[in-house]
Amino acid sequence: MTSKTNSKTIIVSNRLPVKVVRKEGEDLDFQPTEGGLATGLGSIYKSGNNVWIGWPGATLVSEQEEKSTTEILESQSMYPVFLTDEDLELYYEGFSNETLWPNFHYFNQYSIFDERTWESYKAVNQKFADAVLSQASEEDTIWVHDYQLLLVPALLRKEKPDLKIGFFLHIPFPSYESFRLLPFRRELLLGMLGADFLGFHTYDDTRHFLSSANRLAGIGNNHGIINYNNRQIMADALPMGIDYEKYSSTASEPETIEKEVQYRTAIGTPQMMLSIDRLDYSKGIPQRVKAFEQFLVEYPQYRTKVSLVMIVVPSRYQVGKYKELKEEIDLLVGRINGQFGRLSWTPVHYFFRSYPLNALSAFYRMAHVGFVSPLRDGMNLVAKEFIASKLEKKGVLILSEMAGASKELSDAILVNPNNRAQMVRAIKDALEMSEEEQISRMTVMQETLKRYNIYHWVDLFMSRLAHVKKQQLAQKTKNIDSKTIEGIRKDYLQAKQRLLFLDYDGTLTGFHPDPQLAVPNEELYQILDQLIEKENTRVVIISGRDKNTLQKWFDNRPIDLIAEHGVWLRQVGGDWETITHLTDVWKGDIKDVLEGYVNRTPGSFIEEKDYSLVWHYRKVETGLGELRTRELMSHLKYLTSNMNLQVLEGDKVMEIKSTEVNKGRAAASWLKRYTADFVLAIGDDWTDEDTFKAMPDSAFTIKVGGNQSAAKYSILGPEKVRGLLRKLGE
């Protein structure tokens, strides 16, 4: 998982994948925790010298306990961050769960803003950062997880600027209108921006983060790429999957089948609906129960025919809002069972407890309908586990459109959990759906989950993080100084053949509100004359300007011209000409790139034609397709700088065709015609990147203004460019 043999990957989360439990004899017991994250990341932290850092799940009372716990955890590739009872009260129960959790789930009426909990949150995030720094070297990869540790990336970046840092948020990121309510919003955003790559479950979460960064911190982005503190940061949607094989294989185990028979006999009804949630106000449990109640009122023929099995896993039920929620659920279930129940039929089987995996799998197997209707949820893995357990492909999933999983599982019956009438109709439709349609829908969803599983998610995150870091290093340019200028001049004077590619607007001259008034002045003509007077020196003006304008300005000088970003070419003494060429040799490389985008964009596919490739995204989540299109466009511009390609956008498609022209292709034709032992290229915008990439390794490439470029050097502005050229022409 790491690129260097001496480097390692460090995973950082609030909790470790094991829990320290104090037994009756005061001895400590180490129990593994179940969960998708522990499963997916097991392949990372258990290999090589990698390590997982987090809280071990218990408050330890002595230094000896901490020391022995640390030794045991280190032997299992883990490193503990010890928290006090006060830390847990203020940082975890306080700021994390009473400030961030309700705000991020749009329950701002439950958010508590307390300076003490904020100070504790900062202090504990520093504890985690210190623990990472004690283990990390500059070459390491750090992967920080979730809302409890939003400040950690920036704290790490401050101490080790070159670390490769990724961050993934497992809950929704709220819209700007919700996030702006937080008193500490800017600090949280800047904390996250310490990462190189920020992952979210959905495109909406990504979009909300980018919007808040722009509106609250004044940090803009270009199609998900943020330039902050001279560092390129990427934000993207990577929906988390499950260990599909684990759940499908568990569903076929004898123990699971035995439990299914036992449960089915006990419940007794022909059809069963299943609801599994942790106790939380974001899960929409009362709304779901009321919808089932309304269903029994409107469709009395289903009484005694269907039951709702509702498992609620205990969580914080001694805390005010959660205690009230449990009491509300208890009353609702009691009311429904009291009103509709029979001696031989219980409408709602309600279990306030957790179940082992085999028992859950038995419930998944026997349920005709999975009823997952959270008011807000980052992903919701229960929906995916239900689908993976359906070995015979029979069953229907009712899924809230407010759950992140709905973006992938469009073949479920999607509902608005606030629309009770719609949920009632969905229950009826689900119970009456034909087996043929059930199998058709389930097959599509299972294929999606098999491909986009937890291991795919982990690999994809790590590859995207590595890609961003590689891009940062590739685009890191060196500011040009007097020593560099002297080195360039020395090579220039010693060369036998010289070739200079010079952009015009923003390079040789500054920008003007009226472009037609940005004409060459006498100083510029003198500088160019000095250059072309030298024997065996060829100057090429390579510009986006139209050919008539360039010809008018430079016609009386022996200067080659490339107009309209490479469409029109003219050598000294020659006529204007264009480059045209048709080939399909490029398709293999481009198709590999497109496959990469299909691999991380559910619903997209590739169509191949004789001389073009088409990327379709009509079935992709709204917004995500557009984001991928922008990203793909940028990626293809980088790859096709020396290819004869054209990238066209259509209605939910992007087509890559032959006959593309750009500055890079035009410059390459000059490099082929004229053998030069000194090549210089200077430009200021993204069109000049093609020129830089077309240059030989020995060329001097200089980006004007800014240091994010494929060029080797950067220079401040047109005045500095003229100074450099004047120095060469002396």
Side-chain angles (χ1 to χ4, degrees):
M1 282 298 178
T2 50
S3 59
K4 298 181 182 180
T5 55
N6 62 338
S7 62
K8 61 183 176 294
T9 297
I10 300 176
I11 299 162
V12 194
S13 65
N14 178 63
R15 291 286 293 271
L16 287 171
V18 299
K19 183 179 182 180
V20 177
V21 178
R22 192 179 299 281
K23 296 188 292 187
E24 289 184 12
E26 293 298 310
D27 291 332
L28 299 178
D29 187 29
F30 294 78
Q31 302 174 357
T33 57
E34 290 288 340
L37 194 61
T39 300
L41 298 180
S43 60
I44 295 181
Y45 86 92
K46 291 178 181 177
S47 64
N49 58 344
N50 300 337
V51 64
W52 190 323
I53 293 176
W55 178 54
T59 303
L60 304 185
V61 296
S62 68
E63 289 186 10
Q64 182 56 41
E65 279 190 343
E66 290 187 357
K67 182 180 178 182
S68 62
T69 298
T70 301
E71 289 173 355
I72 292 170
L73 291 174
E74 283 186 326
S75 70
Q76 300 176 33
S77 301
M78 289 175 274
Y79 186 80
V81 176
F82 297 112
L83 302 180
T84 65
D85 288 334
E86 185 180 33
D87 289 335
L88 295 172
E89 179 188 349
L90 298 177
Y91 144 78
Y92 184 70
E93 296 293 348
F95 194 82
S96 295
N97 288 320
E98 292 183 344
T99 302
L100 293 180
W101 179 271
N103 177 269
F104 280 38
H105 287 85
Y106 299 87
F107 286 87
N108 284 298
Q109 68 272 28
Y110 297 158
S111 285
I112 297 172
F113 306 126
D114 185 333
E115 192 72 32
R116 286 176 65 243
T117 63
W118 167 239
E119 290 301 323
S120 176
Y121 184 84
K122 288 193 293 184
V124 173
N125 270 245
Q126 187 65 61
K127 274 189 183 181
F128 275 85
D130 290 342
V132 175
L133 292 168
S134 73
Q135 302 288 308
S137 62
E138 290 283 1
E139 298 80 24
D140 291 342
T141 297
I142 317 296
W143 190 357
V144 184
H145 289 268
D146 226 1
Y147 65 104
Q148 302 97 342
L149 304 175
L150 296 178
L151 303 179
V152 169
L155 294 172
L156 297 176
R157 181 73 56 199
K158 181 181 177 183
E159 298 300 322
K160 291 186 181 293
D162 295 326
L163 275 177
K164 186 194 300 180
I165 304 172
F167 177 87
F168 193 87
L169 183 68
H170 293 267
I171 65 174
F173 193 93
S175 71
Y176 159 76
E177 288 297 337
S178 181
F179 189 73
R180 69 190 293 209
L181 299 176
L182 292 171
F184 322 105
R185 60 205 187 184
R186 183 179 170 85
E187 293 94 325
L188 294 168
L189 284 172
L190 296 183
M192 295 175 71
L193 287 171
D196 298 299
F197 178 64
L198 293 153
F200 302 88
H201 279 306
T202 70
Y203 168 71
D204 283 341
D205 296 332
T206 309
R207 181 169 55 86
H208 291 157
F209 171 77
L210 294 172
S211 174
S212 289
N214 186 24
R215 301 175 73 177
L216 296 173
I219 301 168
N221 74 93
N222 182 25
H223 311 311
I225 303 295
I226 303 163
N227 283 308
Y228 175 62
N229 285 348
N230 285 329
R231 192 166 48 87
Q232 189 181 85
I233 304 164
M234 178 185 286
D236 200 0
L238 300 180
M240 182 178 174
I242 61 169
D243 185 350
Y244 189 92
E245 292 303 319
K246 173 184 174 182
Y247 286 93
S248 62
S249 62
T250 301
S252 64
E253 291 176 0
E255 183 183 349
T256 300
I257 296 170
E258 184 182 324
K259 285 183 180 294
E260 181 194 1
V261 173
Q262 175 189 338
Y263 295 162
R264 192 185 294 278
T265 304
I267 292 169
T269 51
Q271 289 184 295
M272 185 198 112
M273 299 173 61
L274 178 64
S275 159
I276 301 176
D277 299 279
R278 183 175 61 81
L279 181 69
D280 194 89
Y281 46 75
S282 67
K283 301 300 182 181
I285 301 171
Q287 290 83 351
R288 193 177 314 147
V289 177
K290 289 174 183 176
F292 183 65
E293 179 183 35
Q294 187 64 32
F295 171 77
L296 295 177
V297 170
E298 293 185 18
Y299 302 100
Q301 67 270 29
Y302 276 98
R303 297 174 192 175
T304 73
K305 301 290 195 306
V306 61
S307 292
L308 172 63
V309 173
M310 192 169 74
I311 298 170
V312 179
V313 179
S315 173
R316 307 183 72 212
Y317 57 92
Q318 302 296 338
V319 178
K321 294 296 178 188
Y322 292 80
K323 188 176 181 181
E324 293 172 14
L325 175 62
K326 183 181 182 300
E327 290 171 355
E328 181 184 4
I329 295 168
D330 293 347
L331 288 172
L332 283 170
V333 172
R335 185 176 78 194
I336 294 171
N337 286 341
Q339 181 178 352
F340 298 104
R342 303 286 187 271
L343 285 173
S344 59
W345 173 62
T346 303
V348 182
H349 295 265
Y350 170 39
F351 305 98
F352 187 65
R353 72 190 76 149
S354 59
Y355 279 88
L357 181 58
N358 282 104
L360 290 176
S361 185
F363 283 121
Y364 288 142
R365 277 181 58 97
M366 63 190 284
H368 298 83
V369 178
F371 201 177
V372 182
S373 58
L375 300 176
R376 285 282 171 183
D377 212 336
M379 176 48 62
N380 195 292
L381 300 180
V382 167
K384 296 186 174 185
E385 293 166 7
F386 171 78
I387 291 168
S389 303
K390 289 299 181 185
L391 303 184
E392 297 180 0
K393 303 183 187 298
K394 296 175 187 176
V396 183
L397 175 64
I398 299 175
L399 180 60
S400 167
E401 61 192 31
M402 306 299 177
S406 68
K407 311 303 182 185
E408 296 171 89
L409 304 177
S410 57
D411 285 272
I413 298 178
L414 300 181
V415 296
N416 180 341
N418 298 299
N419 187 335
R420 190 181 303 173
Q422 185 189 33
M423 288 213 286
V424 169
R425 289 195 302 273
I427 293 172
K428 185 173 185 294
D429 291 344
L431 293 172
E432 296 179 355
M433 185 179 291
S434 68
E435 279 195 2
E436 183 182 3
E437 186 177 352
Q438 290 180 38
I439 292 170
S440 173
R441 287 173 178 247
M442 192 64 70
T443 299
V444 172
M445 292 190 287
Q446 286 185 347
E447 288 304 314
T448 296
L449 297 188
K450 283 178 187 175
R451 179 171 185 176
Y452 301 98
N453 61 27
I454 183 70
Y455 303 106
H456 174 90
W457 174 75
V458 170
D459 290 343
L460 194 54
F461 186 96
M462 299 304 281
S463 66
R464 298 304 290 162
L465 174 57
H467 171 74
V468 174
K469 204 64 181 177
K470 185 178 178 182
Q471 290 293 96
Q472 288 179 3
L473 294 173
Q475 295 179 346
K476 215 168 187 179
T477 62
K478 178 183 176 183
N479 287 322
I480 205 161
D481 54 23
S482 57
K483 184 178 179 181
T484 305
I485 291 174
E486 282 302 321
I488 295 173
R489 183 170 183 268
K490 180 181 178 182
D491 284 7
Y492 177 84
L493 294 174
Q494 291 177 349
K496 295 176 181 178
Q497 296 287 342
R498 309 176 188 92
L499 188 56
L500 282 64
F501 296 96
L502 307 175
D503 175 45
Y504 183 76
D505 292 284
T507 300
L508 293 178
T509 190
F511 292 101
H512 195 284
D514 182 353
Q516 293 306 314
L517 297 180
V519 298
N521 58 16
E522 193 57 37
E523 179 194 34
L524 179 58
Y525 281 135
Q526 288 177 1
I527 291 170
L528 293 174
D529 288 342
Q530 285 179 333
L531 291 172
I532 56 183
E533 281 173 4
K534 285 198 183 298
E535 191 178 357
N536 297 326
T537 301
R538 199 167 197 100
V539 174
V540 185
I541 302 292
I542 182 166
S543 171
R545 293 276 184 170
D546 65 272
K547 62 184 175 63
N548 293 329
T549 299
L550 289 183
Q551 184 169 318
K552 182 175 73 173
W553 288 347
F554 302 105
D555 198 32
N556 61 343
R557 284 175 168 79
I559 294 175
D560 294 338
L561 301 176
I562 299 175
E564 298 180 22
H565 300 303
V567 174
W568 293 100
L569 320 174
R570 196 192 78 168
Q571 297 180 72
V572 175
D575 296 324
W576 288 102
E577 59 183 21
T578 60
I579 299 176
T580 56
H581 186 54
L582 194 63
T583 180
D584 65 353
V585 296
W586 53 271
K587 283 166 64 176
D589 291 340
I590 300 301
K591 189 174 182 181
D592 287 345
V593 173
L594 295 181
E595 287 284 4
Y597 280 81
V598 169
N599 200 32
R600 60 192 181 91
T601 312
S604 67
F605 65 93
I606 302 166
E607 176 188 2
E608 185 170 354
K609 300 178 181 178
D610 287 337
Y611 291 101
S612 67
L613 292 171
V614 186
W615 186 65
H616 293 260
Y617 60 96
R618 187 175 300 279
K619 296 179 73 174
V620 178
E621 173 195 355
T622 301
L624 178 59
E626 288 72 17
L627 179 69
R628 287 284 190 266
T629 303
R630 303 276 72 77
E631 182 182 345
L632 180 55
M633 174 73 83
S634 176
H635 196 162
L636 289 173
K637 282 177 181 174
Y638 176 82
L639 288 177
T640 60
S641 59
N642 289 324
M643 297 181 185
N644 192 19
L645 296 179
Q646 186 175 17
V647 184
L648 303 174
E649 288 187 62
D651 184 16
K652 302 293 183 184
V653 298
M654 174 184 281
E655 186 163 358
I656 302 95
K657 301 177 66 175
S658 295
T659 68
E660 164 69 3
V661 289
N662 58 45
K663 287 184 177 181
R665 280 196 61 80
S669 69
W670 254 259
L671 290 168
K672 290 176 184 176
R673 294 176 195 176
Y674 306 105
T675 304
D677 50 351
F678 176 91
V679 180
L680 171 71
I682 311 178
D684 74 298
D685 68 12
W686 63 269
T687 64
D688 298 301
E689 294 300 309
D690 294 322
T691 307
F692 299 146
K693 293 163 193 167
M695 295 295 107
D697 292 339
S698 59
F700 292 97
T701 51
I702 303 174
K703 174 69 177 271
V704 182
N707 63 357
Q708 295 292 320
S709 173
K712 295 176 183 175
Y713 302 98
S714 61
I715 197 168
L716 284 178
E719 287 302 315
K720 295 290 185 181
V721 172
R722 291 190 180 193
L724 169 62
L725 296 177
R726 192 182 294 111
K727 194 84 172 171
L728 297 181
E730 288 177 352

